[in-house]
Amino acid sequence: MKWHNSIQFKFAVFVLIAIMFIPIVMPLTSMVTYIPGVFIEYENTPYEGFNELTEMWHSEARNLEGKEDSKIKKRLQELNDKYPKSEIFWVDHTGRTRDTFSYSGTLPGKWSVPYTIQFMKDSFDADPYTVVAFLGKKKDSGFMVIKVDRILLEPPVQRLSEGYNYAFIIVFLAFMLLFALLSYLFIRSIRKRLLRLKEAMEAKKGSGIPLAIKISKMDEIGQIEESFNSMVQALEGSRLREIQEEKLRRELIANLSHDIRTPLTTIRGHLNSINQEIDTAKGKAALETIDHKIDFLSGLIDNLFSYTLLSAGKYPCHLNRVEMNRFIREAAAGWYPILEEHEIEVELQMQQQPAFWTVDPNWIERIIDNLLQNVVRHAREGKFVEISLTDNQLIFKDKGRGFSQESKQKGAGIGMVIIDLMVREMGLEWEIESTGTGTTIYIRKLDASGSCL
Amino acid sequence: MKILYLEDDLEIGKWVKEYLESRGYEVDWFTSGLHLPEREDGYDLTILDVMLPGLDGFSLGKRLKNKHSQMPIIMLSARSAIEDKLEGLEFADDYLTKPFHAEELAKRVEVHLRRYDKSLSSKLRIRHLEIDQKTNSIINTITNEEIILTGKQFQIFKYFLRHLNQILTKEQLFEKVWGDQYIEGDHKTLMVHIRYLREKIEQNPSEPEIIETIRGIGYRVKG
């Protein structure tokens, strides 16, 4: 970043301008206002100054010495044309007023001595500026007079100042406005870029990580943008690593599961062969127990791995709107043959109206599986299970010997822990009521349900 | 009936092959999917293990299904994660997790062969009915008369036959047969059709033996 690009530098420049505003802008305004005027006006006026006019008038008068009246008249006419707004007349050697040019006042036909003195007194240092010149060197050959408004003879700057006072104020205001505008633009551009950065931070892609931003300028905000981008990159990287890790973990668990299930399958295969060799009732019963234990072990493996994933937060919950009547009916249809095999009567109490719950269907299925598994394993002697759905609860009721009895058999434990984790994570609530004659489990939808924790 | 069977575990492979052969199937068993390509024609059903050396079961299954859409595929897997099941069922007809019972596998093989009209005999017997799946005729073996069903009744009955031993919920039945989204009032329509169907095929329609009612859940036809 170059020093002159920094916001700090720019801000310092603005402060400096603000402090120096009057001392710098006043002369600046004068320069801008007058200099063009001075140059332009010089070219357009025949008047150059008081002295110049006096000299010109005397030299003209000398030149007209002894000339005929008509020549004098003609020359004075020319001068009147050359100097606009001038008033000219001449008086001959007899004291008679001769020709007047653009003269606005009244003149006597014959100049008396008192009048002449009065005229000279009035004209001295007065406005209009008056020049009186004798025609020639001799004082008795008459005189000629020119009167010009003083303003026309002042130096140009002076002459302009009246009309240009307004211009001065306007230019001064213009400078002030320009300064205000520049400050505004400066602040606005910073504000805009900050807002853009804020929006970029808030906007998220599907992964929940903001997108990188285009770097606008290499100043302090540009540096923030740069850091922001490297942060986004770091987040992206860690998310990818996390996905990678999750995949590896799942892979590992799938492999472990495979490694345990394969020998279990082999055991079952051999069990099958033995079954054909053994005829005694006791032997058959033992084989059946082994067979049940294989299922038990395999279920345990499932639960163990699910628990590992769940507790590590690697079994994400994906909520959906699920029609529970239909969902439970289908789950029950899947379980019916197993329950039937164990002579467990199934009673379903669904609702007439569609009941939508916002849950993860895979998780709900898992919960139902675990609960019915428990009924088959630990409440078989009740020979009954009722699943009912009310407005906001899902109820599982069996007539087994109750939970206190069941919990003595390890294995129910992890299944229940998984149910507990899943229920709570989906924002539901559950409760177990267990007596010696049966267990009832309530899963409740709360008002706050509908989002993963 | 020829079954293509892929399994890398030798003990399980031997056991399943022997069991299925004892049930009258001809079983070709391979331990990997690498040597298959030219020989996969002419099988009626494939049983596929998911974790195979070389090509994995999912890819192999998808390839087989693309080539032979009429060949049922049963996936056999030690992976029990729901994701794996769902991935498998995208192309496979069934998914069985290890450790499985050989009887269950044999039962499912039978059901899938029947679904694709490939069972050992085209004649199926359910209690007093004899159903010829080729000609779609249903004979009452007691009176030796043919039972004529209406279009919807036949569709319902056929759907039961394709899913023998499976409990079908009223939603599933209605949506498959009528092809409409199930709404609550549709239950009556279905009940009426099933009553008429029972009147035609059951010996005593008030105590049905063929189409069982599973209270609160649905209906089932046992094979």
Side-chain angles (χ1 to χ4, degrees):
Chain A
M1 186 178 78
K2 300 217 176 74
W3 60 272
H4 56 81
N5 278 338
S6 76
I7 292 173
Q8 189 182 6
F9 173 73
K10 286 178 190 164
F11 185 68
V13 169
F14 272 103
V15 169
L16 207 64
I17 292 176
I19 293 170
M20 312 280 274
F21 198 69
I22 300 299
I24 287 182
V25 167
M26 290 295 267
L28 198 67
T29 310
S30 305
M31 269 163 71
V32 170
T33 315
Y34 292 121
I35 286 177
V38 168
F39 284 113
I40 292 161
E41 294 302 322
Y42 264 130
E43 288 159 20
N44 290 346
T45 179
Y47 301 106
E48 288 162 40
F50 296 97
N51 294 340
E52 286 83 353
L53 186 78
T54 312
E55 261 170 41
M56 181 278 292
W57 198 245
H58 283 290
S59 91
E60 287 292 337
R62 267 196 305 280
N63 289 341
L64 290 172
E65 179 180 12
K67 295 277 162 64
E68 300 103 70
D69 291 356
S70 62
K71 284 236 175 103
I72 293 171
K73 184 181 177 183
K74 192 178 163 227
R75 181 61 194 156
L76 290 180
Q77 182 64 60
E78 279 170 17
L79 287 169
N80 186 235
D81 289 343
K82 187 181 171 195
Y83 292 91
K85 293 185 185 165
S86 61
E87 294 174 25
I88 293 174
F89 65 89
W90 74 287
V91 177
D92 66 11
H93 61 285
T94 62
R96 263 191 322 131
T97 303
R98 300 294 292 262
D99 304 294
T100 65
F101 305 91
S102 313
Y103 194 75
S104 55
T106 52
L107 288 170
K110 182 99 175 155
W111 287 55
S112 62
V113 173
Y115 181 81
T116 309
I117 291 168
Q118 187 60 46
F119 178 80
M120 290 311 288
K121 276 178 107 173
D122 290 346
S123 301
F124 182 73
D125 206 15
D127 192 11
Y129 182 70
T130 308
V131 185
V132 178
F134 291 110
L135 290 160
K137 287 181 192 119
K138 285 184 274 176
K139 311 287 187 244
D140 57 353
S141 46
F143 60 92
M144 56 190 224
V145 176
I146 184 166
K147 287 187 165 201
V148 174
D149 271 343
R150 273 179 181 269
I151 189 71
L152 293 171
L153 296 167
E154 298 278 0
V157 173
Q158 207 86 27
R159 206 184 324 146
L160 294 176
S161 72
E162 273 181 32
Y164 275 59
N165 268 348
Y166 290 113
F168 181 85
I169 290 168
I170 288 168
V171 172
F172 183 75
L173 284 177
F175 270 113
M176 289 224 305
L177 274 175
L178 185 71
F179 177 70
L181 185 74
L182 283 177
S183 320
Y184 169 71
L185 287 178
F186 175 69
I187 295 298
R188 198 179 70 142
S189 84
I190 290 177
R191 196 182 111 88
K192 233 165 101 179
R193 291 164 63 206
L194 286 175
L195 283 177
R196 188 175 79 106
L197 197 58
K198 170 185 159 266
E199 269 161 31
M201 284 176 181
E202 280 171 357
K204 281 168 188 157
K205 320 189 272 187
S207 57
I209 294 173
L211 284 163
I213 192 171
K214 206 170 135 258
I215 292 171
S216 43
K217 254 188 247 169
M218 264 332 286
D219 55 14
E220 286 92 334
I221 294 178
Q223 285 178 325
I224 295 177
E225 287 166 344
E226 209 172 37
S227 314
F228 173 73
N229 281 353
S230 55
M231 188 190 75
V232 165
Q233 220 167 15
L235 274 177
E236 197 77 39
S238 80
R239 195 180 63 92
L240 284 179
R241 256 198 317 284
E242 205 170 301
I243 291 173
Q244 202 72 27
E245 258 171 42
E246 193 177 323
K247 203 177 149 225
L248 275 178
R249 195 190 283 252
R250 279 182 180 283
E251 210 58 43
L252 175 72
I253 283 179
N255 285 336
L256 278 174
S257 165
H258 175 264
D259 290 350
I260 299 172
R261 282 161 188 280
T262 304
L264 281 180
T265 317
T266 316
I267 294 172
R268 182 157 273 163
H270 288 300
L271 216 56
N272 231 18
S273 320
I274 301 171
N275 206 10
Q276 280 150 22
E277 307 292 321
I278 287 178
D279 294 325
T280 62
K282 210 174 164 189
K284 292 258 186 209
L287 286 179
E288 202 176 317
T289 310
I290 297 175
D291 199 61
H292 281 308
K293 290 297 166 194
I294 290 175
D295 281 332
F296 173 73
L297 263 180
S298 126
L300 193 63
I301 292 162
D302 263 357
N303 275 338
L304 210 59
F305 291 150
S306 297
Y307 176 73
T308 313
L309 288 175
L310 261 177
S311 58
K314 303 290 179 197
Y315 195 158
C317 110
H318 300 291
L319 293 180
N320 267 319
R321 233 164 80 91
V322 176
E323 207 284 282
M324 291 297 275
N325 287 311
R326 178 191 190 125
F327 191 82
I328 291 163
R329 199 171 282 126
E330 274 166 25
W335 269 89
Y336 192 82
I338 297 164
L339 297 168
E340 189 183 35
E341 193 187 322
H342 292 96
E343 295 172 338
I344 297 170
E345 188 194 331
V346 186
E347 178 89 34
L348 232 63
Q349 301 283 348
M350 296 292 106
Q351 287 195 295
Q352 290 302 312
Q353 296 305 313
F356 288 99
W357 288 31
T358 305
V359 288
D360 183 328
N362 287 340
W363 284 21
I364 283 285
E365 192 174 353
R366 190 54 181 269
I367 291 170
I368 296 173
D369 280 354
N370 280 359
L371 288 174
L372 292 178
Q373 195 94 58
N374 277 349
V375 171
V376 172
R377 280 196 198 129
H378 311 297
R380 211 179 303 169
E381 59 287 338
K383 301 216 173 297
F384 174 81
V385 61
E386 182 188 300
I387 309 173
S388 43
L389 184 71
T390 67
D391 277 344
N392 60 350
Q393 7 183 45
L394 176 61
I395 305 163
F396 289 78
K397 191 185 266 175
D398 69 52
K399 293 181 180 167
R401 272 172 298 176
F403 217 74
S404 50
Q405 229 71 26
E406 285 166 15
S407 56
K408 281 179 191 160
Q409 302 191 34
K410 303 290 180 212
I414 194 152
M416 295 307 246
V417 171
I418 288 172
I419 295 173
D420 186 57
L421 278 173
M422 287 182 161
V423 161
R424 277 189 293 136
E425 191 129 331
M426 287 191 290
L428 307 174
E429 177 188 78
W430 76 314
E431 192 190 328
I432 305 170
E433 257 173 31
S434 194
T435 65
T437 57
T439 303
T440 311
I441 291 172
Y442 304 89
I443 295 174
R444 284 194 199 98
K445 186 167 78 162
L446 301 174
D447 289 339
S449 301
S451 64
C452 297
L453 292 188
Chain B
M1 289 289 113
K2 274 179 86 175
I3 294 175
L4 174 63
Y5 176 38
L6 279 114
E7 167 66 72
D8 63 322
D9 189 278
L10 297 179
E11 282 176 288
I12 298 173
K14 186 162 166 282
W15 167 49
V16 169
K17 181 174 154 72
E18 279 171 9
Y19 187 85
L20 289 176
E21 279 174 348
S22 76
R23 290 294 191 96
Y25 298 101
E26 196 181 320
V27 180
D28 280 351
W29 166 36
F30 296 94
T31 51
S32 94
L34 296 175
H35 310 295
L36 283 182
E38 285 153 44
R39 299 188 282 184
E40 70 209 19
D41 291 350
Y43 290 105
D44 297 294
L45 183 137
T46 300
I47 300 171
L48 205 55
D49 186 50
V50 174
M51 285 197 175
L52 288 170
L55 200 54
D56 77 292
F58 285 141
S59 323
L60 187 61
K62 273 177 206 158
R63 217 188 64 200
L64 284 173
K65 197 72 187 176
N66 276 339
K67 275 202 202 163
H68 313 286
S69 61
Q70 285 305 301
M71 178 162 71
I73 295 178
I74 299 175
M75 300 298 292
L76 221 49
S77 170
R79 295 182 173 201
S80 60
I82 282 162
E83 293 80 7
D84 289 319
K85 271 187 196 165
L86 293 179
E87 190 183 345
L89 286 173
E90 263 173 32
F91 63 91
D93 299 83
D94 211 340
Y95 194 101
L96 210 59
T97 47
K98 292 178 181 177
F100 54 90
H101 282 101
E103 295 89 334
E104 191 182 355
L105 178 64
K107 195 87 200 167
R108 292 196 188 200
V109 165
E110 200 188 313
V111 168
H112 287 294
L113 286 175
R114 197 179 292 132
R115 269 186 56 199
Y116 284 87
D117 296 331
K118 284 177 175 178
S119 65
L120 288 170
S121 88
S122 70
K123 294 230 167 100
L124 176 68
R125 227 190 127 96
I126 300 171
R127 297 195 179 255
H128 64 281
L129 298 182
E130 192 181 86
I131 301 129
D132 189 326
Q133 308 218 70
K134 291 253 155 63
T135 60
N136 284 329
S137 68
I138 304 163
I139 310 281
N140 181 339
T141 53
I142 297 168
T143 60
N144 238 343
E145 279 170 11
E146 187 169 354
I147 297 169
I148 308 293
L149 299 179
T150 66
K152 277 279 177 289
Q153 289 165 357
F154 181 76
Q155 275 176 285
I156 296 170
F157 194 51
K158 188 83 181 168
Y159 191 63
F160 275 124
L161 292 184
R162 291 213 159 176
H163 298 88
L164 279 182
N165 301 320
Q166 206 176 322
I167 296 167
L168 300 171
T169 64
K170 52 190 185 179
E171 290 97 341
Q172 284 171 322
L173 270 167
F174 186 85
E175 284 172 9
K176 275 289 176 239
V177 174
W178 273 265
D180 260 346
Q181 181 76 34
Y182 177 87
I183 49 169
E184 207 44 52
D186 292 331
H187 189 203
K188 283 204 188 80
T189 318
L190 183 67
M191 265 168 54
V192 169
H193 277 83
I194 285 185
R195 199 173 73 227
Y196 288 144
L197 182 58
R198 278 174 171 159
E199 277 170 13
K200 286 190 178 171
I201 61 175
E202 301 279 359
Q203 278 187 296
N204 179 2
S206 55
E207 278 173 44
E209 288 179 315
I210 294 172
I211 303 177
E212 266 181 281
T213 299
I214 311 293
R215 204 153 55 88
I217 303 178
Y219 302 94
R220 173 171 68 180
V221 173
K222 273 195 190 168

